[in-house]
Amino acid sequence: MLMIVLLTMALSSYGRDYPKCKYSYFKNGKIATSQCYDNEDRWGRAKAFDSKGKEIYDRELRRIAGHSSVIFSFYPSGAVSKAAWSSAPDAGIQWYRTTTYFSEDGKITSEVHDNYDDGPGKMAPQKPGYISTPKTVPAKPELKPEPSTTIECAVIYSSEFWFHNTTPYSVVVTATRKHTKSETYIVTLRPRQRMKVGQMIGAQQFNDPATYYDFSVKPLKESVRQKFIIIPSDKEPENTSKEVRRHYYEVRRIV
């Protein structure tokens, strides 16, 4: 009984702290992944679940002091197949990435860690008991200091794509990167709801997401026979900051 009370309190706290969520679903209707943020869209959590509802993945998200984000990929059943997490501070050259691979029944099959300190391609730590062979490292010759140089870093631009469900039905919107099917965003929009579906990162310029993504929409409930279409909104793209631009699209009924 105590365990049930503690679990209920934890779920309630999670919903209160991170109320702005987008979900992906199994074909049976159960939640496969969630990405939830606080009311200021600054901090959040990304989670993945197996088909029985057991949590199999959890990462912190942030859109402040740099970024921490997760891109999920999926099996045809809706189960998560890969979670690509990346993190970097607002200023500095450090960066961190971890790609986690899952079997269709929700088990982690492998992880690859990339980071600024160790370089790309570092596999997950070895299991206890693993013994590595020491290597003799030759002394490095003394090098004369090179004249300092200044390198100009490319400015990162984020082209966000926002969708407005203008219909009285709950719908599932999918955005799939052309020629890179593993990069897919899936969200559920309630009637009249407007939400950010995803973002496209570019160097030195903004990009029109519709040029690089295929958008599709279907009703959340299979019993709904209504057909839908996605069209560009009459609302012009909007710059919310120097490096962020919002592109708007609308979900409409086909009459």
Side-chain angles (χ1 to χ4, degrees):
M1 182 64 180
L2 178 59
M3 180 63 69
I4 295 175
V5 172
L6 292 175
L7 178 59
T8 302
M9 292 175 62
L11 291 173
S12 175
S13 175
Y14 179 78
R16 181 175 63 254
D17 294 339
Y18 306 113
K20 302 177 71 173
C21 298
K22 63 179 182 180
Y23 303 96
S24 71
Y25 296 86
F26 290 94
K27 285 190 174 181
N28 63 11
K30 291 186 178 180
I31 293 176
T33 65
S34 66
Q35 296 197 54
C36 299
Y37 283 89
D38 58 22
N39 285 317
E40 287 74 33
D41 277 326
R42 293 184 175 184
W43 298 93
R45 306 294 303 186
K47 294 177 178 286
F49 307 86
D50 64 16
S51 59
K52 297 180 181 178
K54 179 183 177 182
E55 182 180 305
I56 58 174
Y57 183 84
D58 180 25
R59 280 283 187 179
E60 181 184 77
L61 302 173
R62 77 174 188 279
R63 294 170 175 160
I64 186 173
H67 83 279
S68 175
S69 60
V70 174
I71 296 177
F72 289 113
S73 303
F74 302 91
Y75 290 103
S77 64
V80 62
S81 62
K82 182 177 72 174
W85 169 79
S86 66
S87 177
D90 192 23
I93 58 177
Q94 297 87 357
W95 54 267
Y96 307 90
R97 289 194 294 264
T98 297
T99 303
T100 306
Y101 297 87
F102 300 87
S103 61
E104 197 162 3
D105 60 356
K107 294 181 175 61
I108 294 177
T109 57
S110 65
E111 282 190 329
V112 177
H113 302 289
D114 298 342
N115 62 72
Y116 171 80
D117 299 317
D118 298 322
K122 180 183 178 183
M123 298 301 293
Q126 299 288 343
K127 295 180 179 179
Y130 174 82
I131 301 176
S132 60
T133 303
K135 296 181 179 180
T136 303
V137 180
K140 293 183 179 179
E142 184 178 353
L143 300 177
K144 295 182 179 180
E146 295 289 340
S148 60
T149 58
T150 301
I151 300 176
E152 182 178 354
C153 296
V155 178
I156 302 301
Y157 287 82
S158 174
S159 301
E160 301 178 345
F161 33 106
W162 288 66
F163 283 76
H164 180 203
N165 180 13
T166 66
T167 77
Y169 303 94
S170 292
V171 298
V172 178
V173 172
T174 302
T176 303
R177 185 71 177 260
K178 297 178 180 179
H179 313 301
T180 312
K181 303 302 182 182
S182 61
E183 186 177 332
T184 299
Y185 298 89
I186 303 175
V187 299
T188 298
L189 295 177
R190 300 187 300 273
R192 316 301 180 188
Q193 185 180 14
R194 180 183 285 108
M195 181 186 292
K196 174 187 170 182
V197 173
Q199 63 185 2
M200 182 177 180
I201 303 300
Q204 302 287 26
Q205 65 179 10
F206 294 111
N207 298 287
D208 182 359
T211 304
Y212 297 90
Y213 287 83
D214 291 321
F215 300 138
S216 62
V217 58
K218 64 180 181 180
L220 177 62
K221 296 181 178 179
E222 293 184 359
S223 58
V224 175
R225 301 303 179 187
Q226 177 68 55
K227 301 295 183 181
F228 303 93
I229 190 173
I230 295 175
I231 63 173
S233 173
D234 292 335
K235 188 174 183 179
E236 293 293 326
E238 175 186 13
N239 282 34
T240 58
S241 71
K242 183 179 178 181
E243 293 86 17
V244 178
R245 175 176 293 176
R246 292 181 179 180
H247 296 258
Y248 298 99
Y249 305 89
E250 294 182 358
V251 176
R252 293 185 176 273
R253 290 185 290 177
I254 299 178
V255 180

